[in-house]
């Protein structure tokens, strides 16, 4: 199965309204509430497409119980490590009239050394129980060991299991140096850690550090793939016209598509990249993260594909 890891999960709450009156009073319906966090969104997409997946996350408190009940109801296979800190919340306000989405993310509470040990032990157990791909996503809770994502990469590599890391900041560079199979930054995250606005230059820095593949999402410009085998060459996929909707789960759908492709042994440029771009676009059309719009096959056929070699 594909193993997704969410070290800093959240109960996602999504509010919908026509337009947000900033500084005023807004009347809204009860939020759509579900177990979330980037790795959980990845697992939901994979589950919806009939792929074998198990979602691993540490959870705690009353929010943790809500998290567990919702996952049970959704039918997503999961392994939860119970911890003392209350599971955080993430609140998204989707404006139907403007297409804007405002997200408020609580910070996750710090885990104890013993709780980190329990999480690592469960990762090792699941890797040894038939995992084909490790996909670890999102932020780390406060006080986390900065070596957590590199450790995940190394443990997967010891078992010849490919790894996908979707994070930001120093953890992204650390995962590259550990030899991650795939990194999935957006263009802002890539610029932040590499100090350059050039996708090609930024990806080349991560590839030179040790990553095998980089998928960089660049908004309306599309999704770009760079590989260590030819770091000056890129392949890209985009829609002819941008879509308006909720982008919060778009990147997670990219990770799901990459994980599916690695699980099935597919080619990056010709199969994984177009699927990832189509799944990402279709996620924008859905009100909550972790879902694909049924139109994703049509979106895949509409993609504009391009490739180039930098001078």
């Amino acid at each position: 199965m594909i193993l997704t890891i969410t070290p800093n999960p959240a109960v996602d709450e999504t509010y919908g309204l026509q337009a947000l009156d900033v500084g005023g009073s807004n009347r809204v319906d009860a939020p759509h509430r579900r177990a979330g966090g980037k790795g959980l969104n990845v697992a939901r997409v994979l589950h919806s497409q009939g792929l074998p997946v198990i979602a691993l996350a540490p959870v705690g408190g009353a929010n943790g119980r809500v998290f567990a009940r919702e996952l049970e109801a959704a039918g997503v296979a999961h392994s939860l490590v119970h911890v003392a800190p209350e599971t955080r919340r993430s609140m998204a306000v989707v404006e139907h009239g403007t297409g804007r989405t405002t997200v408020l993310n609580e910070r996750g509470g710090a885990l104890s050394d013993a709780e980190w040990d329990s999480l690592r032990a469960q990762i090792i157990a699941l890797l040894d129980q038939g995992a084909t791909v490790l996909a670890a996503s999102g932020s780390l809770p406060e006080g986390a060991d900065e070596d957590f994502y590199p450790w995940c990469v190394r443990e997967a590599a010891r078992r010849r299991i490919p790894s996908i890391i979707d994070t930001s900041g120093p953890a992204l560079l650390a995962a590259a140096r550990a030899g991650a199979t795939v990194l999935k930054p957006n263009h802002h995250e890539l610029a932040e850690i590499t100090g350059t606005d050039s996708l090609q230059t930024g990806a080349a820095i991560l590839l030179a550090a040790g990553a095998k593949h980089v998928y960089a999402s660049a908004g309306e410009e599309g999704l770009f793939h760079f590989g260590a085998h030819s770091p000056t060459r890129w392949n890209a996929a985009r829609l002819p016209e941008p879509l308006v909707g909720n982008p919060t789960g778009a990147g997670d759908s990219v990770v799901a598509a990459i994980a599916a492709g690695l699980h099935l042994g597919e080619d990056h440029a010709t199969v994984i990249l177009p699927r990832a771009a189509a799944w990402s676009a279709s996620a924008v059309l859905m009100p909550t993260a972790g879902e694909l719009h049924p139109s994703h096959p049509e979106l895949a056929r509409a993609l504009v594909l391009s490739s180039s070699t930098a001078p």
Side-chain angles (χ1 to χ4, degrees), residues 4 34 40 43-45 47-48 53-55 70-79:
T4 74
R34 69 193 310 181
L40 266 297
R44 287 182 188 277
V45 171
H47 175 71
S48 75
V53 62
I54 185 165
E70 198 282 324
L71 268 186
E72 287 286 349
V76 177
H78 54 278
S79 176

Side-chain angles (χ1 to χ4, degrees), residues 144-248:
D145 181 357
E146 292 183 1
D147 189 52
F148 178 73
Y149 278 140
W151 177 88
C152 288
V153 171
R154 293 193 299 268
E155 289 299 320
R158 286 192 184 102
R159 295 160 176 82
R160 300 182 182 275
I161 297 170
S163 56
I164 308 167
I165 305 297
D166 179 11
T167 189
S168 60
L172 180 66
L173 186 57
R177 289 171 173 160
T181 308
V182 177
L183 298 178
K184 209 287 314 157
N186 62 38
H187 58 298
H188 299 299
E189 293 163 343
L190 188 59
E192 176 191 12
I193 195 59
T194 62
T196 174
D197 289 330
S198 166
L199 290 180
Q200 293 95 321
T201 304
I205 290 171
L206 295 183
L207 294 171
K212 308 301 187 297
H213 299 269
V214 173
Y215 282 78
S217 50
E220 296 179 5
E221 296 180 29
L223 179 66
F224 290 74
H225 168 254
F226 304 85
H229 60 286
S230 183
T232 62
R233 182 173 177 81
W234 52 260
N235 292 277
R238 64 174 178 83
L239 287 176
E241 300 291 337
L243 298 174
V244 175
N246 178 13
T248 53

Side-chain angles (χ1 to χ4, degrees), residues 28 31 72 91 97 115 149 167 192 200 209 218 222 262 274 280 284 289:
V28 296
E72 287 286 349
M91 290 151 281
E115 289 167 339
Y149 278 140
T167 189
E192 176 191 12
Q200 293 95 321
L262 293 179
S280 175
V284 172

Side-chain angles (χ1 to χ4, degrees), residues 94-189:
V94 179
E95 297 178 69
H96 305 305
T98 65
R100 295 179 305 190
T101 299
T102 302
V103 180
L104 300 175
N105 286 320
E106 294 181 351
R107 295 183 177 88
L111 305 186
S112 69
D113 289 344
E115 289 167 339
W116 279 114
D117 288 344
S118 295
L119 181 61
R120 290 174 189 256
Q122 189 60 9
I123 291 170
I124 289 173
L126 292 170
L127 289 174
D128 289 338
Q129 289 172 20
T132 57
V133 179
L134 178 152
S137 306
S139 62
L140 295 171
E142 290 196 12
D145 181 357
E146 292 183 1
D147 189 52
F148 178 73
Y149 278 140
W151 177 88
C152 288
V153 171
R154 293 193 299 268
E155 289 299 320
R158 286 192 184 102
R159 295 160 176 82
R160 300 182 182 275
I161 297 170
S163 56
I164 308 167
I165 305 297
D166 179 11
T167 189
S168 60
L172 180 66
L173 186 57
R177 289 171 173 160
T181 308
V182 177
L183 298 178
K184 209 287 314 157
N186 62 38
H187 58 298
H188 299 299
E189 293 163 343

Side-chain angles (χ1 to χ4, degrees), residues 25-109:
S25 178
N26 297 267
R27 189 174 298 278
V28 296
D29 293 330
H32 186 280
R33 188 176 286 112
R34 69 193 310 181
K38 295 179 71 64
L40 266 297
N41 296 335
V42 173
R44 287 182 188 277
V45 171
L46 291 167
H47 175 71
S48 75
Q49 300 305 301
L51 288 152
V53 62
I54 185 165
L56 173 63
V59 298
N63 286 339
R65 291 189 288 274
V66 171
F67 190 101
R69 288 196 300 269
E70 198 282 324
L71 268 186
E72 287 286 349
V76 177
H78 54 278
S79 176
L80 302 180
V81 175
H82 294 281
V83 296
E86 182 84 21
T87 297
R88 67 192 180 105
R89 294 184 302 161
S90 175
M91 290 151 281
V93 180
V94 179
E95 297 178 69
H96 305 305
T98 65
R100 295 179 305 190
T101 299
T102 302
V103 180
L104 300 175
N105 286 320
E106 294 181 351
R107 295 183 177 88

